[in-house]
Amino acid sequence: MTVPASPETPPYLPPPGPRLSFPLLATGAAAFFMMGVLQASYGPAFPYLQGRYGVDTAGVGLIASAHFLGSALAPPLAGFALGRVTVRRVVVASAAVLILGMLVLVAAPVWAVAVAGALVGGLGLGGVSAALNSAYASVGNRAVNLVNAVFGVGSILAPLLVVTLAPVHLALPFLTVAALCAVTLLTAQRFGVPALRPPLTPQVAGGRSGVQAGLFAVLIACYVGLESGFGTWAGRHLDSLNYGHAALFVSGYWGGLTLGRVLTGLFGARVRPGSLVLVSAALAGLCALTAAALPPLAGAAYVVAGLSLGPIFGSTLAWMTQSLPARFIPFLLVAGSVGGIVAPALLGALSARSGLGSVPVTLAVLGAALCVLTALTLRATRPH
């Protein structure tokens, strides 16, 4: 008697799409490198901005706040625009706004005008980010993770750029950003920008589609909160444990985050994005628990946490485009901004009340919440 073979789950195959090539990735690589440089330049430039405009320590942070406000306001505008015009037009218009903001900033005769320039530059950056994240997420998991990894490279190099150029003239770092933005315009003209691809699965009825969109929004907000929570509070926790080089471990965290995106871009194409997000979230939560329970390993745990978190952002965007239109992604980015605002403030309040030992515990709770949200989203997006 022959026993029938049990059915096997077919291996995951990446969605069909254009082959990854230099022309496909060129515009994204140029743009995300430029955005990484700009976003990480304001902090290192604070002393030079104070010297030029005579603002105090409390006031100088306003320029970074203006930049992030602009970058948070732009994605909804880009989302509406993507429903009416091409990705390329949104990228070109946003890049032009970014260049204008940088030129206003470097020519500003007074502090208020410099802050306004940062706000305009942030609007441009937010538009470029929203349009290109939508485009590359619809191409697939590899593409969106690779271009976001280039963002990390720009962020790592930005402080070196500022401390090298700003002593010569404060305008030079921001003129460099404008020049990099011009390179983005040239690559968009020469190589183009990927078009938004439709979802792989047929769009579901409005109610279920709304549930999916809501789950993805909460998931990405929780993730960004976890990422920013690690980045802003890990160093303070390590200082409380008398680590001699806490800043090096924080740098290792950001380096691990970038490396995680590179590895996902190179090897993550045959892994289901939802499954990858779930495993990554669980590992990040375990790293936070390790930092709480085993203080001598806390520094290494934070570095590994960065590596674990690396695949989540891009993979979540690619996952969403399999069942929902890619033009929804800008609205997910807004949800992510909310998470980035709330989580560090929450960690600060809990630290003031319960001590810095609460930092890794809270991060572990956020990691567990991210796992639950991912599991719910996997269930909601499962084909019926």
Side-chain angles (χ1 to χ4, degrees), residues 148-215:
N148 274 282
V150 178
F151 180 95
V153 174
S155 298
I156 291 169
L157 295 178
L160 298 177
L161 178 74
V162 172
V163 299
T164 301
L165 297 180
V168 179
H169 198 290
L170 178 57
L172 290 178
F174 300 103
L175 287 175
T176 300
V177 171
L180 291 171
C181 196
V183 172
T184 297
L185 289 173
L186 290 174
T187 54
Q189 177 68 26
R190 174 66 178 83
F191 300 110
V193 178
L196 299 185
R197 298 172 62 208
L200 290 175
T201 57
Q203 285 187 248
V204 296
R208 188 171 168 226
S209 177
V211 169
Q212 290 181 2
L215 283 170

Side-chain angles (χ1 to χ4, degrees), residues 51-63:
R52 175 171 177 176
Y53 293 105
V55 292
D56 58 18
T57 302
V60 73
L62 183 61
I63 197 166

Side-chain angles (χ1 to χ4, degrees), residues 60-344:
V60 73
L62 183 61
I63 197 166
S65 298
H67 165 82
F68 283 104
L69 175 62
S71 65
L73 292 174
L77 302 176
F80 287 120
L82 288 172
R84 294 162 176 80
V85 299
T86 63
V87 176
R88 181 174 172 179
R89 287 189 177 183
V90 177
V91 170
V92 169
S94 299
V97 170
L98 198 159
I99 291 174
L100 174 63
M102 292 300 96
L103 294 179
V104 170
L105 194 159
V106 301
V110 295
W111 178 239
V113 177
V115 172
L119 175 65
V120 173
L123 282 168
L125 181 144
V128 173
S129 174
L132 289 182
N133 268 309
S134 301
Y136 284 100
S138 72
V139 171
N141 202 21
R142 293 182 64 198
V144 71
N145 275 286
L146 283 174
V147 294
N148 274 282
V150 178
F151 180 95
V153 174
S155 298
I156 291 169
L157 295 178
L160 298 177
L161 178 74
V162 172
V163 299
T164 301
L165 297 180
V168 179
H169 198 290
L170 178 57
L172 290 178
F174 300 103
L175 287 175
T176 300
V177 171
L180 291 171
C181 196
V183 172
T184 297
L185 289 173
L186 290 174
T187 54
Q189 177 68 26
R190 174 66 178 83
F191 300 110
V193 178
L196 299 185
R197 298 172 62 208
L200 290 175
T201 57
Q203 285 187 248
V204 296
R208 188 171 168 226
S209 177
V211 169
Q212 290 181 2
L215 283 170
F216 276 116
V218 178
L219 192 159
I220 207 73
C222 185
Y223 162 72
V224 174
L226 190 61
E227 177 196 299
S228 61
F230 271 108
T232 53
W233 283 96
R236 294 292 303 277
H237 177 236
L238 292 176
D239 284 336
S240 73
L241 299 177
N242 297 317
Y243 269 70
H245 302 285
L248 291 178
F249 288 103
V250 177
S251 295
Y253 164 77
W254 291 112
L257 193 79
T258 300
L259 179 59
R261 290 173 177 172
V262 172
L263 293 175
T264 306
L266 295 176
F267 306 112
R270 292 187 175 275
V271 180
R272 296 179 191 274
S275 301
L276 181 58
V277 171
L278 183 60
V279 172
S280 298
L283 288 174
L286 287 174
C287 288
L289 283 177
T290 300
L294 300 171
L297 299 179
Y302 285 136
V303 174
V304 178
L307 187 64
S308 303
L309 290 170
I312 295 178
F313 180 75
S315 299
T316 301
L317 300 187
W319 178 17
M320 194 213 75
T321 63
Q322 293 181 0
S323 57
L324 296 171
R327 67 177 184 275
F328 286 9
I329 281 181
F331 303 99
L332 260 68
L333 300 181
V334 176
S337 297
V338 173
I341 293 167
V342 171

